Amino acid sequence: MPELPEVEHVVRALRRGVLGRQIVATEIHLPKLVSPSSASTFSRKLKGSRIIAINRRGKYILIELEKLNARGRALTNALTNEGATASSLKPATEQVLIVHLRMTGKFMVLTPDDELPRHAHAVFYLDDERRLVFRDQRQFGIMRLAAKSRVGETKGISELAPEPFGSDFNVGYLKETLSRSRRTLKTLLLDQTRVLGLGNIYASEALFRAQINPFRIASALSSKRTERLHQSIRDVLRAAVSSNSSRRLNLEDPKGFSYGEAFGKVWQVYDREGKPCFKCGTRIKRITHGGRSTYWCPKCQRR
DNA sequence: ACCCTCACCTGCACGC
DNA sequence: TGCGTGCAGGTGAGGG
């Protein structure tokens, strides 16, 4: 369910909550979560790793880990004692835990007295007695480990479109991208290899903000509308990232959180079928398109 | 190369 | 109360 803004808030909450902590042990209760790795291999690779950075690429969460191997630690000690040269020091292993929340993935942090909640498929025991838990009701979420230098080559990440707030996602890029597709805008906006960060909610919201019909063919969009769409995509995502309601996401909250509550917003069109458009009063329409619900105002977003 | 459909899961709201 | 149906904010495999 999380789209880019929600993932960004999860990343920030993880930084506040677990950055700098060491993972002393890991339990995987749902093997397919870490497939094709085995649960035991996965856990072994994580053991003793310190969380040194937490970032985001699209809707992927990237948890950077540093692991001093025995030889590295020994040499560090030897170096301190003037017994070794810097060139003989073996660097720490840097790997990245790649996480995708998909529809229902959530992190939470448990204190020692807390009971493990339902659907807790991964439990990371931290060096401060707390546990970082990954829950996922629908079991769609995934976790993978990659060498830090190879994260960008990882399947799923290598194909992603430019970050929506970066300079590479400019009007020229969007024009070029749209011009090569005969799909509808709504469908194209959900394709993370073309436009990054939108999901089913923000795709509808961005199109409403730009006052563009969701079923227009991408390649036929005028320059002017493309510029409006580009701006709207950024506006919608930025507004969600900076919204007050989501700033306080706390992974230690015993009640947990749902993305809907934590990021509670009044959508302009999403989930408002039959309700009056805030702009013109016309009833919002909904149709299933490409297997997903699409909401739009038939007057503000005429074909 | 592109694009569509379906599959992956559980849980919830709804109508009968 | 129970049961069937449809739906849920994401992606990827497989096939046309």
Side-chain angles (χ1 to χ4, degrees):
Chain A
M1 334 236 273
E3 305 181 31
L4 185 145
E6 291 75 28
V7 176
E8 176 63 26
H9 281 287
V10 171
V11 164
R12 293 177 186 184
L14 283 169
R15 284 187 195 131
R16 290 193 295 270
V18 302
L19 189 61
R21 296 266 61 87
Q22 195 168 4
I23 297 170
V24 297
T26 302
E27 283 174 2
I28 301 298
H29 298 138
L30 182 75
K32 71 171 180 178
L33 172 65
V34 299
S35 168
S37 172
S38 74
S40 57
T41 302
F42 185 85
S43 302
R44 178 168 46 75
K45 285 183 175 175
L46 284 177
K47 192 180 171 91
S49 295
R50 190 171 299 285
I51 300 170
I52 59 171
I54 304 170
N55 293 305
R56 179 190 59 70
R57 174 82 175 96
K59 300 175 190 172
Y60 286 87
I61 296 169
L62 307 176
I63 301 176
E64 294 186 26
L65 302 163
E66 180 183 68
K67 186 171 181 176
L68 288 183
N69 52 48
R71 183 169 143 77
R73 190 174 291 127
L75 283 169
T76 303
N77 293 340
L79 188 62
T80 308
N81 297 330
E82 301 176 2
T85 63
S87 62
S88 68
L89 187 66
K90 191 170 180 177
T93 308
E94 291 198 328
Q95 51 185 356
V96 178
L97 175 58
I98 303 169
V99 183
H100 199 298
L101 305 171
R102 293 287 174 88
M103 299 284 266
T104 50
K106 292 177 175 68
F107 278 107
M108 55 190 305
V109 174
L110 301 184
T111 47
D113 290 341
D114 293 331
E115 270 187 54
L116 202 61
R118 292 189 72 187
H119 309 297
H121 305 316
V123 183
F124 305 92
Y125 291 82
L126 306 177
D127 57 352
D128 60 0
E129 308 287 301
R130 297 181 306 156
R131 290 157 288 167
L132 174 64
V133 173
F134 180 76
R135 308 177 62 183
D136 188 3
Q137 176 191 110
R138 290 175 74 180
Q139 307 180 10
F140 290 168
I142 57 141
M143 285 188 183
R144 288 195 300 260
L145 272 172
K148 188 181 177 184
S149 59
R150 302 213 188 277
V151 170
E153 306 158 25
T154 308
K155 188 157 63 101
I157 291 184
S158 62
E159 304 91 337
L160 293 177
E163 284 293 323
F165 299 132
S167 57
D168 288 348
F169 181 69
N170 48 48
V171 174
Y173 169 85
L174 189 58
K175 281 182 182 168
E176 175 66 21
T177 300
L178 296 188
S179 74
R180 293 196 324 254
S181 173
R182 272 166 289 111
R183 297 146 96 183
T184 65
L185 288 171
K186 174 64 181 353
T187 303
L188 188 110
L189 291 183
L190 293 176
D191 184 341
Q192 304 297 298
T193 71
R194 311 304 176 86
V195 174
L196 189 59
L198 300 172
N200 206 37
I201 292 178
Y202 296 124
S204 281
E205 293 294 314
L207 286 162
F208 173 78
R209 184 182 279 248
Q211 308 278 278
I212 299 170
N213 186 279
F215 311 111
R216 279 180 182 266
I217 299 304
S219 58
L221 199 67
S222 71
S223 247
K224 194 170 177 174
R225 283 194 169 85
T226 304
E227 285 164 26
R228 250 167 39 213
L229 180 58
H230 175 262
Q231 189 61 46
S232 298
I233 289 167
R234 284 189 161 175
D235 287 348
V236 161
L237 292 176
R238 208 186 322 268
V241 167
S242 61
S243 83
N244 275 325
S245 59
S246 51
R247 196 169 293 161
R248 284 177 270 115
L249 177 54
N250 176 11
L251 301 182
E252 289 202 35
D253 185 339
K255 293 195 303 291
F257 65 95
S258 80
Y259 294 107
E261 288 165 21
F263 308 101
K265 281 189 66 108
V266 178
W267 311 117
Q268 299 290 302
V269 287
Y270 183 80
D271 204 22
R272 297 198 64 244
E273 181 180 17
K275 296 182 176 150
C277 170
F278 290 127
K279 194 175 166 72
C280 76
T282 303
R283 289 185 187 286
I284 300 300
K285 298 192 82 168
R286 182 192 81 92
I287 199 172
T288 302
H289 174 245
R292 323 288 306 277
S293 286
T294 295
Y295 299 85
W296 80 104
C297 170
K299 185 174 177 193
C300 295
Q301 299 170 268
R302 270 195 273 254
R303 288 195 80 100

